[in-house]
Amino acid sequence: MQHFWDQPLSWGTAAIFAAGAVGVLAFVLFFVTYAIYFERKVIGWMQYRKGPNRTGPLGLLQSVADVAKLLLKEDTIPKKADKGLFVLAPVLAFVPSFAVLAMIPYSMNLQFADLNVGFLYYIALSGITTIAIVVGGWASNNKYALLGGMRSAAQMISYEVPLVISVVGCVMLSGSLNLREIVESQAGYFWQWNFIPQIIGFAVFLVAAVSELNRTPFDLPEAESELVAGYHVEYSGFRFAFFMLTEYVYVYAIAALTTLLFLGGWNAPAPQLDFIPGILWFFVKFAFIVFSLFWIRATFPRLRVDQLMGLAWKVLLPLAILNIFLTAIGIELMR
């Protein structure tokens, strides 16, 4: 069967892709708006607080009000900043975060691009955001912003190494870097999903992913007690909103990737449950990962910089390499 993305490009298919991209952008913006709301509510619940409860019914319009406030605030640019790079950095951060969503398959036939190197596509584009953060910190002409940007570059580059290596075991088991084929290789009962045979890789991936997102307990680039607000200290209004939007779009992407690589994607926990649409299973698992990221933020204190870097190179990297050897031995024994 020829899939939609395999058909020759025409004005009709181009229009459909453009409409789909606009739809995905609208859905992602909706997700970001209410992910912020639910994060506040979840953390409030875990810390015996109420969270947002005033603006709109049950506080549902609090995030909407926050977005409106950011869009209406004055856009300020420091007098001695590099104006061109200062303006470019937020856009350079957001565009790759949205572009990576093109390779995410939500079901067997629902995705924009069926890439043979889907995961490497994510890594390649997400690296551009690292450059954008450094550029934003440098262009601000602020010592704290520059230090936050350099911290972020060191952190994100360091944790990309174990993040990529932790997925090698999944690639070995499926024989492909194609995300759809990796999901297909996990069909069957839930104990056939990669999070069990790849439990070491799964743990390394989760920790490295949280650090890649610059979220607690790895939010050192934004350490407000040390750096005022990190690399975006000089940004205000909608430019600051772009950096926040980028972070939550990557939350969306990482939660989707975790679901695809380790939790069976759209596969049901048992063949008897296949009558439930696969996209529902995908979003149930996706929601669980997003909730877990909120849970981690509410639970753990921030690490020191030396602990952060030591964890990447002294713990996660050796474990990721060990996982490759154990996977190879397991595949050989199963022959």
Side-chain angles (χ1 to χ4, degrees), residues 16-32 94 97-106 110-113 245 249 252-253 256 279 283 286:
I16 292 173
F17 274 120
V22 172
V24 170
L25 179 61
F27 178 78
V28 169
L29 291 176
F30 177 83
F31 165 82
V32 170
F94 171 71
S97 73
F98 181 64
V100 299
L101 304 183
M103 55 78 194
I104 294 175
Y106 300 95
L110 183 59
Q111 70 180 124
F112 279 93
L245 179 62
V249 173
Y252 181 100
I279 194 168
F283 278 108
F286 172 88

PDB file of all heavy atoms in Angstrom, residues 16-32 94 97-106 110-113 245 249 252-253 256 279 283 286:
ATOM      1  N   ILE A  16      -2.363  20.217   1.463  1.00  0.00           N
ATOM      2  CA  ILE A  16      -2.759  19.351   2.583  1.00  0.00           C
ATOM      3  C   ILE A  16      -1.678  19.363   3.662  1.00  0.00           C
ATOM      4  O   ILE A  16      -1.959  19.444   4.862  1.00  0.00           O
ATOM      5  CB  ILE A  16      -3.027  17.923   2.086  1.00  0.00           C
ATOM      6  CG1 ILE A  16      -4.286  17.905   1.207  1.00  0.00           C
ATOM      7  CG2 ILE A  16      -3.198  16.962   3.262  1.00  0.00           C
ATOM      8  CD1 ILE A  16      -4.540  16.579   0.527  1.00  0.00           C
ATOM      9  N   PHE A  17      -0.409  19.284   3.236  1.00  0.00           N
ATOM     10  CA  PHE A  17       0.693  19.330   4.203  1.00  0.00           C
ATOM     11  C   PHE A  17       0.723  20.665   4.940  1.00  0.00           C
ATOM     12  O   PHE A  17       0.954  20.712   6.153  1.00  0.00           O
ATOM     13  CB  PHE A  17       2.033  19.097   3.488  1.00  0.00           C
ATOM     14  CG  PHE A  17       2.390  17.655   3.321  1.00  0.00           C
ATOM     15  CD1 PHE A  17       2.584  17.114   2.063  1.00  0.00           C
ATOM     16  CD2 PHE A  17       2.544  16.826   4.418  1.00  0.00           C
ATOM     17  CE1 PHE A  17       2.915  15.774   1.898  1.00  0.00           C
ATOM     18  CE2 PHE A  17       2.880  15.491   4.273  1.00  0.00           C
ATOM     19  CZ  PHE A  17       3.064  14.963   3.004  1.00  0.00           C
ATOM     20  N   ALA A  18       0.492  21.767   4.212  1.00  0.00           N
ATOM     21  CA  ALA A  18       0.489  23.088   4.846  1.00  0.00           C
ATOM     22  C   ALA A  18      -0.643  23.195   5.860  1.00  0.00           C
ATOM     23  O   ALA A  18      -0.452  23.698   6.974  1.00  0.00           O
ATOM     24  CB  ALA A  18       0.346  24.175   3.783  1.00  0.00           C
ATOM     25  N   ALA A  19      -1.839  22.708   5.468  1.00  0.00           N
ATOM     26  CA  ALA A  19      -2.976  22.733   6.398  1.00  0.00           C
ATOM     27  C   ALA A  19      -2.704  21.844   7.615  1.00  0.00           C
ATOM     28  O   ALA A  19      -3.035  22.203   8.748  1.00  0.00           O
ATOM     29  CB  ALA A  19      -4.244  22.267   5.679  1.00  0.00           C
ATOM     30  N   GLY A  20      -2.058  20.703   7.369  1.00  0.00           N
ATOM     31  CA  GLY A  20      -1.702  19.824   8.486  1.00  0.00           C
ATOM     32  C   GLY A  20      -0.711  20.477   9.424  1.00  0.00           C
ATOM     33  O   GLY A  20      -0.813  20.343  10.647  1.00  0.00           O
ATOM     34  N   ALA A  21       0.273  21.199   8.847  1.00  0.00           N
ATOM     35  CA  ALA A  21       1.267  21.884   9.679  1.00  0.00           C
ATOM     36  C   ALA A  21       0.611  22.954  10.552  1.00  0.00           C
ATOM     37  O   ALA A  21       0.931  23.101  11.736  1.00  0.00           O
ATOM     38  CB  ALA A  21       2.338  22.510   8.790  1.00  0.00           C
ATOM     39  N   VAL A  22      -0.338  23.706   9.960  1.00  0.00           N
ATOM     40  CA  VAL A  22      -1.063  24.718  10.732  1.00  0.00           C
ATOM     41  C   VAL A  22      -1.876  24.051  11.844  1.00  0.00           C
ATOM     42  O   VAL A  22      -1.922  24.532  12.987  1.00  0.00           O
ATOM     43  CB  VAL A  22      -1.981  25.553   9.812  1.00  0.00           C
ATOM     44  CG1 VAL A  22      -2.882  26.464  10.636  1.00  0.00           C
ATOM     45  CG2 VAL A  22      -1.148  26.374   8.833  1.00  0.00           C
ATOM     46  N   GLY A  23      -2.489  22.910  11.512  1.00  0.00           N
ATOM     47  CA  GLY A  23      -3.259  22.185  12.521  1.00  0.00           C
ATOM     48  C   GLY A  23      -2.393  21.688  13.660  1.00  0.00           C
ATOM     49  O   GLY A  23      -2.766  21.791  14.834  1.00  0.00           O
ATOM     50  N   VAL A  24      -1.205  21.144  13.312  1.00  0.00           N
ATOM     51  CA  VAL A  24      -0.281  20.666  14.348  1.00  0.00           C
ATOM     52  C   VAL A  24       0.194  21.824  15.207  1.00  0.00           C
ATOM     53  O   VAL A  24       0.285  21.715  16.443  1.00  0.00           O
ATOM     54  CB  VAL A  24       0.919  19.933  13.711  1.00  0.00           C
ATOM     55  CG1 VAL A  24       1.992  19.647  14.754  1.00  0.00           C
ATOM     56  CG2 VAL A  24       0.462  18.638  13.072  1.00  0.00           C
ATOM     57  N   LEU A  25       0.496  22.975  14.576  1.00  0.00           N
ATOM     58  CA  LEU A  25       0.926  24.148  15.332  1.00  0.00           C
ATOM     59  C   LEU A  25      -0.161  24.592  16.306  1.00  0.00           C
ATOM     60  O   LEU A  25       0.125  24.888  17.476  1.00  0.00           O
ATOM     61  CB  LEU A  25       1.278  25.288  14.387  1.00  0.00           C
ATOM     62  CG  LEU A  25       1.715  26.596  15.046  1.00  0.00           C
ATOM     63  CD1 LEU A  25       2.965  26.384  15.887  1.00  0.00           C
ATOM     64  CD2 LEU A  25       1.964  27.685  13.997  1.00  0.00           C
ATOM     65  N   ALA A  26      -1.424  24.607  15.849  1.00  0.00           N
ATOM     66  CA  ALA A  26      -2.533  24.989  16.728  1.00  0.00           C
ATOM     67  C   ALA A  26      -2.660  24.004  17.882  1.00  0.00           C
ATOM     68  O   ALA A  26      -2.854  24.405  19.044  1.00  0.00           O
ATOM     69  CB  ALA A  26      -3.836  25.053  15.933  1.00  0.00           C
ATOM     70  N   PHE A  27      -2.532  22.709  17.570  1.00  0.00           N
ATOM     71  CA  PHE A  27      -2.630  21.692  18.623  1.00  0.00           C
ATOM     72  C   PHE A  27      -1.490  21.832  19.627  1.00  0.00           C
ATOM     73  O   PHE A  27      -1.699  21.733  20.841  1.00  0.00           O
ATOM     74  CB  PHE A  27      -2.610  20.296  17.999  1.00  0.00           C
ATOM     75  CG  PHE A  27      -2.670  19.184  19.004  1.00  0.00           C
ATOM     76  CD1 PHE A  27      -3.868  18.830  19.601  1.00  0.00           C
ATOM     77  CD2 PHE A  27      -1.519  18.497  19.372  1.00  0.00           C
ATOM     78  CE1 PHE A  27      -3.926  17.810  20.542  1.00  0.00           C
ATOM     79  CE2 PHE A  27      -1.565  17.477  20.305  1.00  0.00           C
ATOM     80  CZ  PHE A  27      -2.780  17.132  20.891  1.00  0.00           C
ATOM     81  N   VAL A  28      -0.270  22.084  19.125  1.00  0.00           N
ATOM     82  CA  VAL A  28       0.888  22.226  20.010  1.00  0.00           C
ATOM     83  C   VAL A  28       0.746  23.461  20.894  1.00  0.00           C
ATOM     84  O   VAL A  28       1.061  23.432  22.089  1.00  0.00           O
ATOM     85  CB  VAL A  28       2.188  22.275  19.189  1.00  0.00           C
ATOM     86  CG1 VAL A  28       3.364  22.694  20.048  1.00  0.00           C
ATOM     87  CG2 VAL A  28       2.459  20.922  18.563  1.00  0.00           C
ATOM     88  N   LEU A  29       0.253  24.569  20.324  1.00  0.00           N
ATOM     89  CA  LEU A  29       0.031  25.784  21.122  1.00  0.00           C
ATOM     90  C   LEU A  29      -1.013  25.523  22.207  1.00  0.00           C
ATOM     91  O   LEU A  29      -0.873  25.993  23.343  1.00  0.00           O
ATOM     92  CB  LEU A  29      -0.405  26.930  20.217  1.00  0.00           C
ATOM     93  CG  LEU A  29       0.663  27.475  19.258  1.00  0.00           C
ATOM     94  CD1 LEU A  29       0.072  28.543  18.356  1.00  0.00           C
ATOM     95  CD2 LEU A  29       1.853  28.020  20.021  1.00  0.00           C
ATOM     96  N   PHE A  30      -2.059  24.774  21.853  1.00  0.00           N
ATOM     97  CA  PHE A  30      -3.070  24.400  22.853  1.00  0.00           C
ATOM     98  C   PHE A  30      -2.436  23.530  23.941  1.00  0.00           C
ATOM     99  O   PHE A  30      -2.677  23.728  25.139  1.00  0.00           O
ATOM    100  CB  PHE A  30      -4.219  23.663  22.173  1.00  0.00           C
ATOM    101  CG  PHE A  30      -5.278  23.161  23.122  1.00  0.00           C
ATOM    102  CD1 PHE A  30      -6.285  24.014  23.555  1.00  0.00           C
ATOM    103  CD2 PHE A  30      -5.265  21.854  23.585  1.00  0.00           C
ATOM    104  CE1 PHE A  30      -7.269  23.560  24.431  1.00  0.00           C
ATOM    105  CE2 PHE A  30      -6.228  21.393  24.464  1.00  0.00           C
ATOM    106  CZ  PHE A  30      -7.237  22.243  24.889  1.00  0.00           C
ATOM    107  N   PHE A  31      -1.594  22.575  23.517  1.00  0.00           N
ATOM    108  CA  PHE A  31      -0.914  21.700  24.477  1.00  0.00           C
ATOM    109  C   PHE A  31      -0.039  22.514  25.420  1.00  0.00           C
ATOM    110  O   PHE A  31      -0.059  22.309  26.636  1.00  0.00           O
ATOM    111  CB  PHE A  31      -0.059  20.664  23.732  1.00  0.00           C
ATOM    112  CG  PHE A  31       0.936  19.969  24.613  1.00  0.00           C
ATOM    113  CD1 PHE A  31       0.549  18.907  25.404  1.00  0.00           C
ATOM    114  CD2 PHE A  31       2.263  20.382  24.663  1.00  0.00           C
ATOM    115  CE1 PHE A  31       1.460  18.265  26.236  1.00  0.00           C
ATOM    116  CE2 PHE A  31       3.183  19.756  25.485  1.00  0.00           C
ATOM    117  CZ  PHE A  31       2.777  18.694  26.273  1.00  0.00           C
ATOM    118  N   VAL A  32       0.753  23.447  24.861  1.00  0.00           N
ATOM    119  CA  VAL A  32       1.661  24.243  25.685  1.00  0.00           C
ATOM    120  C   VAL A  32       0.882  25.075  26.698  1.00  0.00           C
ATOM    121  O   VAL A  32       1.227  25.132  27.885  1.00  0.00           O
ATOM    122  CB  VAL A  32       2.529  25.148  24.797  1.00  0.00           C
ATOM    123  CG1 VAL A  32       3.294  26.158  25.640  1.00  0.00           C
ATOM    124  CG2 VAL A  32       3.499  24.314  23.977  1.00  0.00           C
ATOM    125  N   PHE A  94      12.970  28.358  18.399  1.00  0.00           N
ATOM    126  CA  PHE A  94      11.643  27.758  18.253  1.00  0.00           C
ATOM    127  C   PHE A  94      11.481  26.942  16.978  1.00  0.00           C
ATOM    128  O   PHE A  94      10.898  25.856  17.009  1.00  0.00           O
ATOM    129  CB  PHE A  94      10.559  28.833  18.294  1.00  0.00           C
ATOM    130  CG  PHE A  94       9.195  28.303  17.933  1.00  0.00           C
ATOM    131  CD1 PHE A  94       8.514  27.463  18.797  1.00  0.00           C
ATOM    132  CD2 PHE A  94       8.614  28.608  16.711  1.00  0.00           C
ATOM    133  CE1 PHE A  94       7.278  26.950  18.472  1.00  0.00           C
ATOM    134  CE2 PHE A  94       7.376  28.111  16.373  1.00  0.00           C
ATOM    135  CZ  PHE A  94       6.700  27.274  17.256  1.00  0.00           C
ATOM    136  N   SER A  97      12.414  23.305  17.125  1.00  0.00           N
ATOM    137  CA  SER A  97      11.558  22.564  18.051  1.00  0.00           C
ATOM    138  C   SER A  97      10.243  22.169  17.401  1.00  0.00           C
ATOM    139  O   SER A  97       9.679  21.106  17.691  1.00  0.00           O
ATOM    140  CB  SER A  97      11.291  23.401  19.312  1.00  0.00           C
ATOM    141  OG  SER A  97      10.395  24.471  19.043  1.00  0.00           O
ATOM    142  N   PHE A  98       9.740  23.018  16.508  1.00  0.00           N
ATOM    143  CA  PHE A  98       8.506  22.689  15.795  1.00  0.00           C
ATOM    144  C   PHE A  98       8.777  21.742  14.636  1.00  0.00           C
ATOM    145  O   PHE A  98       7.989  20.836  14.349  1.00  0.00           O
ATOM    146  CB  PHE A  98       7.835  23.968  15.296  1.00  0.00           C
ATOM    147  CG  PHE A  98       6.544  23.735  14.564  1.00  0.00           C
ATOM    148  CD1 PHE A  98       5.448  23.193  15.206  1.00  0.00           C
ATOM    149  CD2 PHE A  98       6.443  24.039  13.221  1.00  0.00           C
ATOM    150  CE1 PHE A  98       4.260  22.967  14.537  1.00  0.00           C
ATOM    151  CE2 PHE A  98       5.262  23.813  12.541  1.00  0.00           C
ATOM    152  CZ  PHE A  98       4.158  23.280  13.191  1.00  0.00           C
ATOM    153  N   ALA A  99       9.936  21.913  13.980  1.00  0.00           N
ATOM    154  CA  ALA A  99      10.264  21.083  12.814  1.00  0.00           C
ATOM    155  C   ALA A  99      10.450  19.615  13.196  1.00  0.00           C
ATOM    156  O   ALA A  99      10.158  18.730  12.393  1.00  0.00           O
ATOM    157  CB  ALA A  99      11.521  21.618  12.137  1.00  0.00           C
ATOM    158  N   VAL A 100      10.922  19.341  14.420  1.00  0.00           N
ATOM    159  CA  VAL A 100      11.140  17.937  14.809  1.00  0.00           C
ATOM    160  C   VAL A 100       9.835  17.159  14.907  1.00  0.00           C
ATOM    161  O   VAL A 100       9.832  15.930  14.833  1.00  0.00           O
ATOM    162  CB  VAL A 100      11.900  17.829  16.151  1.00  0.00           C
ATOM    163  CG1 VAL A 100      13.262  18.471  16.064  1.00  0.00           C
ATOM    164  CG2 VAL A 100      11.100  18.405  17.306  1.00  0.00           C
ATOM    165  N   LEU A 101       8.715  17.860  15.046  1.00  0.00           N
ATOM    166  CA  LEU A 101       7.428  17.169  15.179  1.00  0.00           C
ATOM    167  C   LEU A 101       7.012  16.489  13.883  1.00  0.00           C
ATOM    168  O   LEU A 101       6.109  15.644  13.893  1.00  0.00           O
ATOM    169  CB  LEU A 101       6.339  18.160  15.620  1.00  0.00           C
ATOM    170  CG  LEU A 101       6.611  18.937  16.915  1.00  0.00           C
ATOM    171  CD1 LEU A 101       5.415  19.809  17.257  1.00  0.00           C
ATOM    172  CD2 LEU A 101       6.913  17.981  18.062  1.00  0.00           C
ATOM    173  N   ALA A 102       7.645  16.856  12.770  1.00  0.00           N
ATOM    174  CA  ALA A 102       7.260  16.277  11.478  1.00  0.00           C
ATOM    175  C   ALA A 102       7.489  14.775  11.423  1.00  0.00           C
ATOM    176  O   ALA A 102       6.800  14.062  10.695  1.00  0.00           O
ATOM    177  CB  ALA A 102       8.029  16.965  10.349  1.00  0.00           C
ATOM    178  N   MET A 103       8.482  14.264  12.193  1.00  0.00           N
ATOM    179  CA  MET A 103       8.821  12.845  12.055  1.00  0.00           C
ATOM    180  C   MET A 103       8.130  11.974  13.099  1.00  0.00           C
ATOM    181  O   MET A 103       8.405  10.779  13.177  1.00  0.00           O
ATOM    182  CB  MET A 103      10.337  12.668  12.130  1.00  0.00           C
ATOM    183  CG  MET A 103      11.023  13.234  13.356  1.00  0.00           C
ATOM    184  SD  MET A 103      10.867  12.228  14.829  1.00  0.00           S
ATOM    185  CE  MET A 103      11.399  13.363  16.102  1.00  0.00           C
ATOM    186  N   ILE A 104       7.240  12.522  13.913  1.00  0.00           N
ATOM    187  CA  ILE A 104       6.579  11.744  14.962  1.00  0.00           C
ATOM    188  C   ILE A 104       5.366  11.009  14.390  1.00  0.00           C
ATOM    189  O   ILE A 104       4.422  11.644  13.927  1.00  0.00           O
ATOM    190  CB  ILE A 104       6.147  12.643  16.129  1.00  0.00           C
ATOM    191  CG1 ILE A 104       7.371  13.217  16.827  1.00  0.00           C
ATOM    192  CG2 ILE A 104       5.287  11.868  17.127  1.00  0.00           C
ATOM    193  CD1 ILE A 104       7.057  14.205  17.921  1.00  0.00           C
ATOM    194  N   PRO A 105       5.356   9.669  14.408  1.00  0.00           N
ATOM    195  CA  PRO A 105       4.177   8.923  13.966  1.00  0.00           C
ATOM    196  C   PRO A 105       3.216   8.700  15.147  1.00  0.00           C
ATOM    197  O   PRO A 105       3.606   8.199  16.199  1.00  0.00           O
ATOM    198  CB  PRO A 105       4.766   7.602  13.488  1.00  0.00           C
ATOM    199  CG  PRO A 105       6.012   7.424  14.293  1.00  0.00           C
ATOM    200  CD  PRO A 105       6.510   8.790  14.681  1.00  0.00           C
ATOM    201  N   TYR A 106       1.949   9.084  14.970  1.00  0.00           N
ATOM    202  CA  TYR A 106       0.959   8.921  16.027  1.00  0.00           C
ATOM    203  C   TYR A 106       0.204   7.594  15.904  1.00  0.00           C
ATOM    204  O   TYR A 106      -0.398   7.124  16.857  1.00  0.00           O
ATOM    205  CB  TYR A 106      -0.034  10.087  16.000  1.00  0.00           C
ATOM    206  CG  TYR A 106       0.633  11.431  16.198  1.00  0.00           C
ATOM    207  CD1 TYR A 106       1.002  12.219  15.109  1.00  0.00           C
ATOM    208  CD2 TYR A 106       0.920  11.894  17.477  1.00  0.00           C
ATOM    209  CE1 TYR A 106       1.630  13.437  15.286  1.00  0.00           C
ATOM    210  CE2 TYR A 106       1.549  13.119  17.668  1.00  0.00           C
ATOM    211  CZ  TYR A 106       1.902  13.885  16.566  1.00  0.00           C
ATOM    212  OH  TYR A 106       2.538  15.083  16.742  1.00  0.00           O
ATOM    213  N   LEU A 110      -0.508   7.806  10.458  1.00  0.00           N
ATOM    214  CA  LEU A 110      -0.671   9.222  10.782  1.00  0.00           C
ATOM    215  C   LEU A 110       0.665   9.836  11.167  1.00  0.00           C
ATOM    216  O   LEU A 110       1.099   9.758  12.319  1.00  0.00           O
ATOM    217  CB  LEU A 110      -1.690   9.392  11.921  1.00  0.00           C
ATOM    218  CG  LEU A 110      -2.020  10.844  12.324  1.00  0.00           C
ATOM    219  CD1 LEU A 110      -2.574  11.613  11.134  1.00  0.00           C
ATOM    220  CD2 LEU A 110      -3.008  10.863  13.486  1.00  0.00           C
ATOM    221  N   GLN A 111       1.339  10.435  10.200  1.00  0.00           N
ATOM    222  CA  GLN A 111       2.567  11.172  10.422  1.00  0.00           C
ATOM    223  C   GLN A 111       2.867  11.989   9.171  1.00  0.00           C
ATOM    224  O   GLN A 111       2.346  11.718   8.098  1.00  0.00           O
ATOM    225  CB  GLN A 111       3.745  10.252  10.749  1.00  0.00           C
ATOM    226  CG  GLN A 111       4.222   9.406   9.587  1.00  0.00           C
ATOM    227  CD  GLN A 111       5.391   8.519   9.950  1.00  0.00           C
ATOM    228  OE1 GLN A 111       5.328   7.329   9.784  1.00  0.00           O
ATOM    229  NE2 GLN A 111       6.468   9.092  10.459  1.00  0.00           N
ATOM    230  N   PHE A 112       3.702  13.006   9.330  1.00  0.00           N
ATOM    231  CA  PHE A 112       4.018  13.878   8.203  1.00  0.00           C
ATOM    232  C   PHE A 112       5.131  13.316   7.334  1.00  0.00           C
ATOM    233  O   PHE A 112       5.075  13.394   6.120  1.00  0.00           O
ATOM    234  CB  PHE A 112       4.410  15.273   8.707  1.00  0.00           C
ATOM    235  CG  PHE A 112       3.243  16.126   9.046  1.00  0.00           C
ATOM    236  CD1 PHE A 112       2.749  16.177  10.343  1.00  0.00           C
ATOM    237  CD2 PHE A 112       2.609  16.872   8.074  1.00  0.00           C
ATOM    238  CE1 PHE A 112       1.657  16.958  10.657  1.00  0.00           C
ATOM    239  CE2 PHE A 112       1.511  17.657   8.372  1.00  0.00           C
ATOM    240  CZ  PHE A 112       1.036  17.704   9.670  1.00  0.00           C
ATOM    241  N   ALA A 113       6.173  12.792   7.963  1.00  0.00           N
ATOM    242  CA  ALA A 113       7.334  12.317   7.206  1.00  0.00           C
ATOM    243  C   ALA A 113       7.810  10.988   7.787  1.00  0.00           C
ATOM    244  O   ALA A 113       8.082  10.895   8.986  1.00  0.00           O
ATOM    245  CB  ALA A 113       8.459  13.342   7.253  1.00  0.00           C
ATOM    246  N   LEU A 245       7.966  28.811  24.969  1.00  0.00           N
ATOM    247  CA  LEU A 245       7.261  27.941  24.028  1.00  0.00           C
ATOM    248  C   LEU A 245       8.179  26.829  23.540  1.00  0.00           C
ATOM    249  O   LEU A 245       7.765  25.662  23.440  1.00  0.00           O
ATOM    250  CB  LEU A 245       6.752  28.781  22.849  1.00  0.00           C
ATOM    251  CG  LEU A 245       5.998  28.048  21.733  1.00  0.00           C
ATOM    252  CD1 LEU A 245       4.733  27.408  22.287  1.00  0.00           C
ATOM    253  CD2 LEU A 245       5.648  29.017  20.608  1.00  0.00           C
ATOM    254  N   VAL A 249       7.460  22.812  23.797  1.00  0.00           N
ATOM    255  CA  VAL A 249       7.355  22.022  22.563  1.00  0.00           C
ATOM    256  C   VAL A 249       8.324  20.843  22.636  1.00  0.00           C
ATOM    257  O   VAL A 249       7.994  19.727  22.212  1.00  0.00           O
ATOM    258  CB  VAL A 249       7.635  22.892  21.319  1.00  0.00           C
ATOM    259  CG1 VAL A 249       7.702  22.024  20.065  1.00  0.00           C
ATOM    260  CG2 VAL A 249       6.544  23.941  21.152  1.00  0.00           C
ATOM    261  N   TYR A 252       6.802  18.159  24.642  1.00  0.00           N
ATOM    262  CA  TYR A 252       5.905  17.403  23.766  1.00  0.00           C
ATOM    263  C   TYR A 252       6.695  16.383  22.942  1.00  0.00           C
ATOM    264  O   TYR A 252       6.327  15.194  22.864  1.00  0.00           O
ATOM    265  CB  TYR A 252       5.173  18.388  22.853  1.00  0.00           C
ATOM    266  CG  TYR A 252       4.188  17.790  21.889  1.00  0.00           C
ATOM    267  CD1 TYR A 252       2.826  17.804  22.159  1.00  0.00           C
ATOM    268  CD2 TYR A 252       4.607  17.243  20.675  1.00  0.00           C
ATOM    269  CE1 TYR A 252       1.908  17.267  21.260  1.00  0.00           C
ATOM    270  CE2 TYR A 252       3.707  16.703  19.777  1.00  0.00           C
ATOM    271  CZ  TYR A 252       2.361  16.727  20.067  1.00  0.00           C
ATOM    272  OH  TYR A 252       1.467  16.190  19.176  1.00  0.00           O
ATOM    273  N   ALA A 253       7.808  16.826  22.336  1.00  0.00           N
ATOM    274  CA  ALA A 253       8.593  15.952  21.467  1.00  0.00           C
ATOM    275  C   ALA A 253       9.241  14.814  22.251  1.00  0.00           C
ATOM    276  O   ALA A 253       9.229  13.654  21.811  1.00  0.00           O
ATOM    277  CB  ALA A 253       9.663  16.773  20.738  1.00  0.00           C
ATOM    278  N   ALA A 256       6.672  12.247  23.294  1.00  0.00           N
ATOM    279  CA  ALA A 256       6.304  11.432  22.131  1.00  0.00           C
ATOM    280  C   ALA A 256       7.404  10.425  21.803  1.00  0.00           C
ATOM    281  O   ALA A 256       7.131   9.251  21.531  1.00  0.00           O
ATOM    282  CB  ALA A 256       6.008  12.332  20.936  1.00  0.00           C
ATOM    283  N   ILE A 279      -4.223   5.468  18.284  1.00  0.00           N
ATOM    284  CA  ILE A 279      -3.874   6.843  18.644  1.00  0.00           C
ATOM    285  C   ILE A 279      -4.267   7.151  20.086  1.00  0.00           C
ATOM    286  O   ILE A 279      -3.618   7.957  20.761  1.00  0.00           O
ATOM    287  CB  ILE A 279      -4.525   7.844  17.657  1.00  0.00           C
ATOM    288  CG1 ILE A 279      -3.878   9.224  17.826  1.00  0.00           C
ATOM    289  CG2 ILE A 279      -6.037   7.891  17.823  1.00  0.00           C
ATOM    290  CD1 ILE A 279      -4.236  10.200  16.735  1.00  0.00           C
ATOM    291  N   PHE A 283      -1.684   8.485  23.093  1.00  0.00           N
ATOM    292  CA  PHE A 283      -1.833   9.680  23.911  1.00  0.00           C
ATOM    293  C   PHE A 283      -1.992   9.353  25.400  1.00  0.00           C
ATOM    294  O   PHE A 283      -1.658  10.184  26.247  1.00  0.00           O
ATOM    295  CB  PHE A 283      -2.994  10.540  23.404  1.00  0.00           C
ATOM    296  CG  PHE A 283      -2.609  11.408  22.240  1.00  0.00           C
ATOM    297  CD1 PHE A 283      -3.063  11.126  20.952  1.00  0.00           C
ATOM    298  CD2 PHE A 283      -1.756  12.478  22.404  1.00  0.00           C
ATOM    299  CE1 PHE A 283      -2.676  11.910  19.878  1.00  0.00           C
ATOM    300  CE2 PHE A 283      -1.357  13.275  21.338  1.00  0.00           C
ATOM    301  CZ  PHE A 283      -1.824  12.989  20.073  1.00  0.00           C
ATOM    302  N   PHE A 286       1.623   8.970  26.277  1.00  0.00           N
ATOM    303  CA  PHE A 286       2.190  10.317  26.164  1.00  0.00           C
ATOM    304  C   PHE A 286       1.839  11.158  27.396  1.00  0.00           C
ATOM    305  O   PHE A 286       2.704  11.821  27.978  1.00  0.00           O
ATOM    306  CB  PHE A 286       1.638  10.960  24.888  1.00  0.00           C
ATOM    307  CG  PHE A 286       1.960  12.418  24.715  1.00  0.00           C
ATOM    308  CD1 PHE A 286       3.132  12.814  24.098  1.00  0.00           C
ATOM    309  CD2 PHE A 286       1.089  13.402  25.146  1.00  0.00           C
ATOM    310  CE1 PHE A 286       3.429  14.155  23.912  1.00  0.00           C
ATOM    311  CE2 PHE A 286       1.370  14.739  24.970  1.00  0.00           C
ATOM    312  CZ  PHE A 286       2.546  15.118  24.363  1.00  0.00           C
TER     313      PHE A 286
END
